Amino acid sequence: MNELLAHHDLRLAETRQAVQAAYEVAKAIKWTRRQRLFTELDPVSQFLAANETAAHLEVLTIRGQLAHEVTADGVDLYQVAAAD
């Protein structure tokens, strides 16, 4: 039972880190056809925007267009991948 709880604690921490990274990126992007700032969105739209951003970060990483690393203290870092 302790193993299962530890696993869930780890997954929750990983999820929190991923959401934090996506949240920071989402704040830098304009949203909707009206090019609204993230802070102008209602809370549900902010949540959806952060999730969409997380998915885009993952796709860009898989395509090799972004490099992703996690620091020793668990912070996700994304940067443009070096050209081959």
Side-chain angles (χ1 to χ4, degrees):
M1 182 67 157
N2 287 340
E3 229 177 89
L4 181 59
L5 292 173
H7 167 74
H8 284 289
D9 285 343
L10 175 62
R11 294 301 281 168
L12 289 169
E14 290 173 340
T15 302
R16 183 182 180 283
Q17 294 299 328
V19 168
Q20 182 62 32
Y23 177 76
E24 294 300 323
V25 175
K27 290 190 316 185
I29 299 171
K30 300 267 175 103
W31 294 94
T32 77
R33 289 185 304 233
R34 293 181 180 88
Q35 298 292 295
R36 292 186 177 167
L37 298 174
F38 184 83
T39 55
E40 296 174 323
L41 301 176
D42 63 86
V44 172
S45 294
Q46 288 181 357
F47 173 79
L48 294 172
N51 283 327
E52 182 178 336
T53 301
H56 289 152
L57 290 169
E58 182 68 19
V59 168
L60 290 169
T61 300
I62 290 168
R63 289 182 176 180
Q65 295 173 314
L66 290 181
H68 173 233
E69 67 177 273
V70 181
T71 66
D73 55 343
V75 175
D76 286 291
L77 297 176
Y78 291 89
Q79 60 184 3
V80 175
D84 292 331

